[in-house]
Amino acid sequence: DTMKYAAEITQNGTTFRGYLWEAVPPLPVPLRWEDERGAVVSWEQVVPAPIPPGQFEIPGGYAEAAAALGPNVMPRAGRHSE
């Protein structure tokens, strides 16, 4: 299954509107982004896996924050099988 989101993202003063497709089970993994300008980004051969401890070190001064969608992301538009 995939989830298709309608999204509006503002970055450095520029707003991008488009759609994001994510694989849902077992984790949400981005598969495709398509925006109103016609730009398309696809992620292929995605394999979610834990990062071995030797490949990632948490930076000094890191503080965990609560996850939130924020004002620039719209909620899910619907569920699609693709």
Side-chain angles (χ1 to χ4, degrees):
D1 283 343
T2 60
M3 293 294 296
K4 181 180 180 182
Y5 300 84
E8 182 175 287
I9 300 167
T10 301
Q11 181 178 9
N12 299 327
T14 302
T15 299
F16 302 93
R17 291 175 186 85
Y19 296 95
L20 176 67
W21 287 260
E22 286 185 334
V24 277
L27 301 170
V29 175
L31 298 175
R32 180 181 173 96
W33 166 262
E34 185 176 309
D35 72 22
E36 62 187 4
R37 301 168 304 149
V40 175
V41 176
S42 294
W43 291 266
E44 298 178 6
Q45 299 179 7
V46 176
V47 180
I51 299 172
Q55 288 186 344
F56 179 76
E57 184 176 319
I58 296 174
Y62 168 80
E64 188 169 341
L69 286 177
N72 295 328
V73 180
M74 296 171 60
R76 298 175 182 178
R79 186 178 195 106
H80 303 271
S81 293
E82 294 185 12

